[in-house]
């Protein structure tokens, strides 16, 4: 069964900060499932959902009540100035295959009621319990259901629309996949998995992330990309994601490299980068290992922000509404940490080191136990096999994110001047 593609996100324009954060998460998760986000086009919850969708490289549509496109929030992909006033609420409902309501207002109540009355599925997040008192569902009425978190709400919508991980299909009818990516000897190595997380792993490689994604989706639609590289670069200090994951990994915490501040990554030499780091972090220098990841970090940063240039591109960077270096809408990208992924698979941080024969064997065993079939020509002694296994662990995490089972660390991501969510997923 293939999912219908349009989900309305409704809620008050005068939303609380918490409601806006919830809407951002709803928009991001919907985009991760390849679903179009439809809103009323204005501020508050509507702007939050469009912003989350944009961060994940998704497509959003704003149906404005007035006739001036300038009234629209800046995060939308497309806007339609309907000139219908509050009557545009009915147009929004009839344009969607499901509705998620974050918070409540009188306008939101009207959209929920219209949806329920016309049989459109509605999931309520942080909403009134008023609807529990309305007479139950009949032949033409579909009662709203309640969710406690954005992830739960999106998972319910995905289930209702038939695009759950156990039966996921891409919008063009082909089987969807996820991509896990890691660096290997100056290039990218990727592991492509079915979005169900079970089945044969396929390897791809490329010099830049944009080309890696294109090679992964040359045969299937990529639902999500998970990279073992920081997303969201601090301007000063340290990222909470790095601190919390380091603590979580205990004796394996040294595998989490502190993310350099953005200004240090702009430095031309390691010596200059160290000076900048000391000045911008209150005295913390920058390790050579962290600086060695400079090209990869900037590659991911450019891809996520839509300014990358892929292999063989002659025309310059592709910017704006979710287009990558190859002119197609980018799949959403999240940050993963393989050692954390393996720790969750095993139930505790591993004691073996990833480059040793024992560590490689243990990690292959953990992936195999998850139903992932690694390539037959991947012997434990092969050079760089640890990077392939790390990419496979990142792909495993991507499966969990798509299915709504993943944990985000920290739960509420930090945002720096780049406006990106700084958090790791597992």
């Amino acid at each position: 069964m293939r999912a219908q593609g349009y989900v309305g996100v409704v809620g008050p324009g005068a939303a609380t900060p918490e409601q806006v954060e919830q809407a951002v998460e709803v928009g991001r998760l919907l985009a991760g499932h390849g679903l179009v986000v439809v809103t009323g086009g204005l501020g508050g919850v509507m702007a939050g959902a469009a912003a989350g969708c944009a961060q994940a490289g998704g497509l959003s549509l704003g149906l404005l009540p007035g006739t001036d496109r300038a009234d629209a929030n800046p995060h939308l992909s497309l806007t339609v100035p309907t000139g219908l006033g509050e009557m545009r609420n009915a147009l929004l409902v009839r344009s969607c295959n499901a509705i998620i309501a974050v918070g409540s207002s009188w306008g939101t109540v009207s959209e929920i009621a219209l949806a329920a009355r016309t049989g459109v599925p509605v999931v309520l997040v942080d909403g009134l319990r008023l609807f529990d008192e309305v007479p139950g569902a009949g032949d033409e009425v579909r009662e709203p259901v309640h969710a406690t978190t954005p992830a739960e709400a999106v998972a319910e919508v995905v289930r209702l629309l038939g695009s759950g991980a156990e039966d996921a299909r891409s919008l063009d009818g082909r089987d969807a996949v996820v991509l896990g990516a890691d660096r290997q000897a100056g290039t990218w190595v990727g592991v492509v998995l079915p979005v169900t997380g079970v089945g044969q792993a396929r390897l791809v490689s490329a010099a830049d992330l944009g080309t890696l994604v294109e090679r992964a989706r040359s045969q299937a639609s990529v639902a999500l990309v998970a990279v073992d590289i920081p997303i969201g670069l601090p301007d000063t200090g340290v990222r909470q994601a790095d601190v919390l994951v380091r603590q979580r990994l205990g004796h394996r915490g040294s595998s989490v490299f502190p993310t350099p501040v953005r200004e240090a990554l702009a430095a031309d030499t390691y010596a200059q980068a160290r000076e900048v780091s000391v000045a911008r972090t209150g005295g913390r220098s920058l390790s050579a290992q962290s600086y060695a990841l400079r090209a990869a970090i900037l590659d991911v940063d450019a891809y996520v922000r839509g300014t990358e240039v892929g292999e063989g591109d002659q025309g310059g960077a592709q910017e704006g509404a979710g287009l990558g270096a190859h002119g197609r809408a980018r799949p959403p990208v999240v940050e993963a940490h393989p050692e954390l992924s393996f720790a969750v698979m095993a139930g505790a941080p591993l004691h073996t080191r990833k480059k040793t024969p024992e560590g490689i064997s243990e990690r292959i065993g953990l992936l195999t136990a998850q139903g992932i079939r690694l390539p037959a020509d991947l012997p434990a002694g092969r050079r760089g096999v640890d990077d392939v296994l790390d990419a496979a662990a990142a792909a495993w995490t991507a499966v969990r994110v798509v299915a709504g089972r993943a944990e985000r660390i920290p739960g509420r991501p930090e945002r720096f001047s780049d406006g990106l969510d700084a958090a790791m997923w597992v």
Side-chain angles (χ1 to χ4, degrees):
M1 179 165 44
R2 192 170 73 181
Q4 300 295 321
Y6 295 80
V7 178
V9 182
V10 301
T16 65
E18 181 179 4
Q19 288 168 342
V20 173
E21 288 286 345
Q22 290 174 326
V24 169
E25 182 69 356
V26 166
R28 190 192 64 76
L29 291 171
L30 289 173
H33 286 278
L35 297 164
V36 178
V37 173
V38 184
T39 76
L42 302 179
V45 163
M46 296 169 279
C53 181
Q55 290 170 12
L59 183 67
S60 62
L61 170 66
L63 301 178
L64 302 171
T67 59
D68 190 350
R69 291 185 193 275
D71 293 337
N73 71 71
H75 309 292
L76 291 161
S77 306
L78 301 168
T79 58
V80 177
T82 68
L84 294 175
E86 293 301 321
M87 296 298 291
R88 71 84 153 80
N89 293 1
L91 178 62
L92 187 152
V93 168
R94 296 311 296 264
S95 299
C96 295
N97 304 105
I99 299 289
I100 294 178
V102 180
S104 298
S105 68
W106 286 114
T108 308
V109 168
S110 73
E111 290 162 321
I112 295 169
L114 286 166
R117 190 68 180 85
T118 55
V120 177
V122 179
V123 181
L124 308 176
V125 181
D126 191 27
L128 295 173
R129 307 297 298 197
L130 163 69
F131 307 99
D132 295 343
E133 304 302 323
V134 175
D139 293 337
E140 298 179 348
V141 177
R142 187 164 188 163
E143 291 185 70
V145 298
H146 293 276
T148 58
T149 66
E152 183 181 326
V154 172
E156 177 65 13
V157 164
V158 167
R159 184 188 67 79
L160 290 169
L161 298 185
S163 62
E166 70 280 2
D167 189 31
R169 307 288 294 184
S170 67
L171 294 182
D172 60 6
R174 299 180 298 170
D175 289 334
V177 298
V178 296
L179 171 65
D182 194 21
R183 292 291 283 182
Q184 182 184 77
T187 62
W188 285 99
V189 60
V191 169
V192 181
L193 288 179
V195 78
T196 59
V198 177
Q200 183 65 48
R202 181 166 58 89
L203 303 187
V204 290
S205 62
D208 62 87
L209 183 60
T211 302
L212 188 80
V213 173
E214 289 305 307
R215 290 176 179 170
R217 63 181 184 176
S218 62
Q219 298 181 12
S221 176
V222 176
L224 187 74
V225 180
V227 296
D228 180 21
I229 287 292
I231 297 174
L233 305 179
D235 304 298
T236 60
V238 298
R239 301 193 318 165
Q240 281 301 299
D242 299 337
V243 173
L244 294 173
V245 172
R246 181 181 284 265
Q247 292 173 350
R248 177 98 163 245
L249 285 174
H251 61 273
R252 297 294 297 154
S254 61
S255 65
V256 182
F257 304 143
T259 301
V261 295
R262 181 173 290 278
E263 189 178 340
L265 292 172
D268 293 328
T269 68
Y270 176 46
Q272 292 171 345
R274 291 182 65 185
E275 292 178 5
V276 171
S277 182
V278 170
R280 300 292 286 172
T281 63
R284 181 174 58 83
S285 185
L286 180 66
S287 71
Q289 205 160 12
S290 293
Y291 185 72
L293 294 172
R294 175 176 181 264
I297 295 172
L298 292 177
D299 183 19
V300 172
D301 183 64
Y303 184 82
V304 172
R305 299 169 75 191
T307 60
E308 84 288 355
V309 178
E311 288 179 346
D313 285 347
Q314 302 297 319
Q318 300 277 344
E319 300 188 28
L323 294 182
H326 298 263
R328 292 198 288 171
R330 297 184 305 271
V333 183
V334 299
E335 180 182 347
H337 192 283
E339 280 301 303
L340 181 61
S341 300
F342 284 123
V344 172
M345 292 182 211
L350 305 187
H351 287 279
T352 57
R353 302 184 68 83
K354 69 175 189 174
K355 292 184 180 294
T356 65
E358 297 79 13
I360 290 170
S361 295
E362 181 176 21
R363 286 159 178 79
I364 289 175
L366 289 169
L367 291 167
T368 302
Q370 298 297 319
I372 297 171
R373 297 197 301 271
L374 296 167
D377 60 346
L378 195 67
R382 173 177 168 179
R383 180 181 175 86
V385 68
D386 58 303
D387 299 315
V388 175
L389 299 179
D390 281 352
W396 175 83
T397 296
V399 168
R400 289 166 59 86
V401 174
V402 171
R405 301 194 303 268
E407 176 187 0
R408 182 174 60 185
I409 305 172
R412 176 171 292 187
E414 292 181 287
R415 291 203 186 98
F416 308 109
S417 61
D418 54 25
L420 303 174
D421 284 356
M424 295 188 203
W425 289 85
V426 68

